[in-house]
Structure formats: C-alpha cells, structure tokens
Amino acid sequence: MATKLTRTLSRKIERRYSVKAVSQAFGDVEAILRNGTTSATTTDPVQVLESWVSKMDNQFSTSGGFSNPDCPHAFLSLLESPFFSTNLNAIVDYLSSRVEQRVIRRVAWIFHLLVLGAQSLYPNLYDLLVDTVPIVSRLKTYITRAYDLPLKFPALTLLTHLCNQMVLSESDFTLLDDSFIAYLLYAVEKSSYSDEQCNEAASQLLVAIHKQCRLRPSSQDSWDGSPGNTPRPIWSRTSSPTSSDSPLLTPASVGLKQRCTSSSGITPNASVSKIVFNLGREQGNCTAFVANLIFMLNREQEPTAILSLLDLITSIVTTPATFTLFFTNDLKVLVDVVIRELYNLPADADSLRLAYLRLLPSIVLNTQYLKFRHRAAHLASLLRNLTSRESLALVSSEVGKQAIQTARLCEESLAYGPLV
C-alpha cells in the first residue's frame, strides 16, 4: 500500500532493528493497526489516528525517542496496516482537514508524510499538500537548521521525492539556490564518515535537483558567459548523415585545446544544470559527493534512478570546469560499471543502453582516463561486440547508431585497431 517514498525512507537492514522500538512506542495503537478494527473503547478511526499522531509527536519531543530508522518504520506500520486500508475514506477526510491547520512543526511534518504516503490511493492529497502548504520552504528549513536534527533525514528524503516527481513552481524552484546547493555539498563532505544515512540522502537530493533542472520546461540555469566556462559536449552529430544507418561523425581530438574548439565538430551548449555549475565552483567541497555518485550508480537497481545518475555524471564529464572531478579510482569503478552494464542489460533496456553509450566517449576523451587506460582492451572488445552485425540486428536502430558513433569516437584513443 505504501508508496515508494515511504519504502525508501528505511533500509531493510535497519527495519529489522526498528520493529521492537516502534511496537513498544505505540502499544495499544499498534495492536489496532494490526487488527484493522478499532478497540472496544474506541469506535472512531479518527481517534486512533489522533492517538498515533500524538505518540509520534511524543517521540520527536523526548530525548531517547525514535532514531532515523525508527521514524520511517513507524510510518510504514501505519500505511501498510489493515486499519489504514479499512478506514481509508475517513483517514483521507481527516488528513484533508488537518493539513491546512496551523500546528507545531513536528505535527505538521507528520501530516505531510502521511499525505504523501497515502497519495497513491488518493492522488488529490498530494496536490493538496503542494498547493496549500509552503512545503519546499518548510523542508529547506528542516534541512538547514541545526536544532531540527531529527527532521533532517526525513526532510531530505521528502524533498528528493518532490523534485523527482513533479515540476516545482518557479517560486519553489528559486528556493533551491546556489547557497542551498553549496550547503548540501558541504553537508555531504562533512557527514561522509559520521552520518551515512544523511550523507546519502543529501547526495540523492543533489541528484534530484539536477533532474528538476531537466524537468523544467525552459532552463534558466546557465553559466555566466565568462571565457572558458561554457560547457561543451565533446562531439555533435551533423545534420546530414552519410546513410540511413551510419551518421556522419566528427571525432574529437584527445588534446584539450582541440577538444574544446568548434573546429573539431563540437557544438557549444550555453546552458548547464545549477548542480554542475556549483560543482565547478565548489570543487573543494564536492569530493565526497562525486565519489557517492559512483557508489550509488554501482548499487542502484531502479532504472529511473540510474538514468538520473547517468545524466548528472555525463553532464560532469562534458563540462570543462568539471572534467577532472572524478578521482582515478572513481573513474576505474565507473568504467567497470559501464562495461558490466553494457554486457548484461536486458534486451528491452534501450534507454539505459543509450545512456551508457553516450557516457563512454566522454569518459575516454575528456577525463584523465587515457593516463591509466583502465581495461582499455575490454572496452575495445566490448565496442567491437556491440557493433557486430549480429549485435546490431538485435537492437533498435537508435541504439545501433549510438553504438557505432561511440565506437568510432573511442577507437583512436583505445588504439586497438578499427572497432567498426
């Protein structure tokens, strides 16, 4: 019943240790949730829900209350309970009436998460939350205030969900400004060895803000126009292909000066995500974040999340100011991931296959990859395999063209003979 949002608030290994703490905290309310019916003394489901909210608030109020793993498990216990499904209409009416009322911020936060958890069953609740409450502003406050530490991790996760699922209004999007992004980068750097959960949540929010830039109908996030700061892809496809199967390609030179000149067929792009802009500007505070990108990509299984990560990584390695952000070990892992995925992706995963193929030339030609040439022979063999007649017959024409383009761009640098 619960949405993916509430599921991602808690990792499986942590949920095992949260069950006992949550059950003890809610007592008789927990028993009602499991049974799906109200008790003999309580006939109104709203009273049960009020009691649940009160007990949840008490955990925020007292020292020794819920830990970060306990909090999402408590929401899951309610949202996935027989009680919630049995009394859905009454609960929806209750949340609709309460979400607009002025309450203390902890209680407001509890209502917000309940609305988002229930929105898959009643989508209008989601619209109600976003339209009637300054949710982005409130979440930003929870994230940045030092004395709201119990709310920091849930707020990071909820704001990530909002950025991934909808196009924010211009006023809300403006709140995700350079200073907030710099704060998140600093928070990731600071928490890399002390708070793994918030560290990863802040990293995921930065990826989601990048996606939010992409979701917007017209990007207003651009570089300031100063020399050397305009992001440039390493190649472009010309308007007239030589044939229906093979586009006319202009490989970029390996040399930095030639690589960044339009005479090599490079098309300047005047717009860049505000995340990439700040990565270029805050390089001293982004070491942990760029390492996290590779870590998350290596273990992520959700295709949509993988595409978001690949889009940001590709933006980083196609923007001159951020070409060298990835350390050598990170690049080695990234190459390993690309090889593994291109060999093992299912036949119907065209979007992922295209994303990996578009990323690969940027790694080879723009980063410091050619200084250590990690698994270059494997890459050459992989590209030969992907562009063989047998392989091309099994994929769509778009994937086939991209595979040929990637192979031709990389073949000189890999220096293992013609790949196509």
Side-chain angles (χ1 to χ4, degrees):
M1 175 187 293
T3 64
K4 184 185 174 184
L5 163 71
T6 47
R7 290 191 178 280
T8 57
L9 281 170
S10 179
R11 300 190 191 125
K12 291 180 181 179
I13 190 170
E14 292 166 337
R15 288 181 65 182
R16 291 184 300 167
Y17 301 102
S18 302
V19 174
K20 184 176 180 181
V22 172
S23 297
Q24 291 176 343
F26 288 97
D28 57 332
V29 174
E30 184 78 7
I32 294 174
L33 299 184
R34 289 197 303 268
N35 295 331
T37 58
T38 55
S39 65
T41 58
T42 305
T43 58
D44 186 358
V46 172
Q47 293 182 26
V48 177
L49 199 59
E50 287 277 13
S51 178
W52 185 92
V53 171
S54 176
K55 291 180 182 294
M56 192 72 178
D57 174 45
N58 186 58
Q59 293 300 318
F60 281 119
S61 306
T62 60
S63 59
F66 281 167
S67 65
N68 275 339
D70 297 329
C71 175
H73 182 79
F75 281 102
L76 282 169
S77 295
L78 172 61
L79 291 166
E80 295 183 331
S81 68
F83 168 81
F84 196 90
S85 57
T86 302
N87 300 283
L88 179 61
N89 291 334
I91 292 171
V92 165
D93 292 339
Y94 169 75
L95 292 176
S96 298
S97 64
R98 292 287 279 167
V99 73
E100 298 183 70
Q101 297 179 14
R102 287 185 175 273
V103 293
I104 61 174
R105 64 177 183 270
R106 291 189 307 270
V107 175
W109 165 252
I110 293 169
F111 288 137
H112 296 168
L113 269 184
L114 283 178
V115 168
L116 282 167
Q119 62 89 21
S120 61
L121 299 175
Y122 197 86
N124 289 341
L125 279 176
Y126 183 83
D127 297 332
L128 178 68
L129 176 68
V130 176
D131 293 341
T132 62
V133 180
I135 185 66
V136 174
S137 175
R138 190 170 291 173
L139 292 174
K140 181 180 176 180
T141 300
Y142 293 158
I143 291 168
T144 55
R145 283 201 303 220
Y147 56 85
D148 274 332
L149 292 179
L151 302 182
K152 186 180 294 289
F153 168 70
L156 286 166
T157 307
L158 179 51
L159 188 52
T160 298
H161 174 77
L162 291 174
C163 288
N164 280 328
Q165 297 299 321
M166 62 181 299
V167 179
L168 300 177
S169 68
E170 192 61 36
S171 59
D172 283 340
F173 182 69
T174 303
L175 295 174
L176 309 179
D177 54 15
D178 291 345
S179 62
F180 181 59
I181 292 171
Y183 172 86
L184 291 175
L185 289 171
Y186 175 74
V188 171
E189 201 74 21
K190 184 179 178 181
S191 63
S192 56
Y193 297 105
S194 59
D195 190 343
E196 179 185 349
Q197 198 170 45
C198 282
N199 178 274
E200 184 175 349
S203 297
Q204 290 173 340
L205 176 54
L206 286 163
V207 176
I209 294 174
H210 175 76
K211 182 177 180 179
Q212 179 65 207
C213 297
R214 300 297 199 192
L215 288 173
R216 304 190 68 74
S218 60
S219 174
Q220 297 182 7
D221 306 304
S222 59
W223 294 78
D224 58 10
S226 56
N229 280 344
T230 303
R232 302 170 188 268
I234 61 170
W235 74 84
S236 66
R237 179 179 297 182
T238 62
S239 58
S240 302
T242 56
S243 71
S244 59
D245 295 325
S246 179
L248 178 61
L249 304 169
T250 310
S253 171
V254 176
L256 180 61
K257 292 183 179 179
Q258 294 179 349
R259 177 176 59 193
C260 293
T261 60
S262 59
S263 60
S264 296
I266 298 161
T267 304
N269 178 4
S271 178
V272 68
S273 158
K274 63 169 67 180
I275 297 298
V276 180
F277 173 82
N278 280 277
L279 288 174
R281 193 177 64 175
E282 301 280 344
Q283 295 199 21
N285 280 329
C286 65
T287 302
F289 173 64
V290 295
N292 284 356
L293 288 178
I294 308 300
F295 176 76
M296 290 189 293
L297 179 67
N298 192 29
R299 73 174 193 174
E300 184 60 63
Q301 296 181 343
E302 173 62 38
T304 303
I306 294 173
L307 287 171
S308 295
L309 287 164
L310 289 173
D311 185 69
L312 178 52
I313 293 171
T314 302
S315 295
I316 291 171
V317 295
T318 56
T319 302
T322 54
F323 276 164
T324 58
L325 277 186
F326 292 109
F327 289 161
T328 297
N329 286 340
D330 294 330
L331 281 176
K332 288 181 178 180
V333 175
L334 181 57
V335 170
D336 289 340
V337 172
V338 172
I339 292 174
R340 180 192 71 202
E341 295 304 312
L342 285 177
Y343 268 125
N344 298 324
L345 283 172
D348 58 349
D350 278 5
S351 296
L352 286 173
R353 189 171 284 103
L354 283 168
Y356 280 110
L357 286 170
R358 288 165 180 157
L359 170 62
L360 185 54
S362 305
I363 297 172
V364 172
L365 299 177
N366 278 5
T367 70
Q368 65 273 32
Y369 171 80
L370 292 177
K371 293 181 179 179
F372 54 87
R373 302 173 58 79
H374 177 66
R375 299 187 69 181
H378 287 85
L379 281 177
S381 176
L382 169 64
L383 291 174
R384 286 194 186 93
N385 180 54
L386 292 176
T387 53
S388 67
R389 185 169 298 178
E390 295 79 7
S391 296
L392 292 175
L394 299 176
V395 297
S396 67
S397 60
E398 185 179 11
V399 172
K401 289 177 181 180
Q402 185 63 56
I404 293 171
Q405 180 174 359
T406 299
R408 289 184 174 175
L409 286 165
C410 294
E411 63 183 355
E412 181 180 350
S413 300
L414 295 176
Y416 284 93
L419 302 179
V420 291

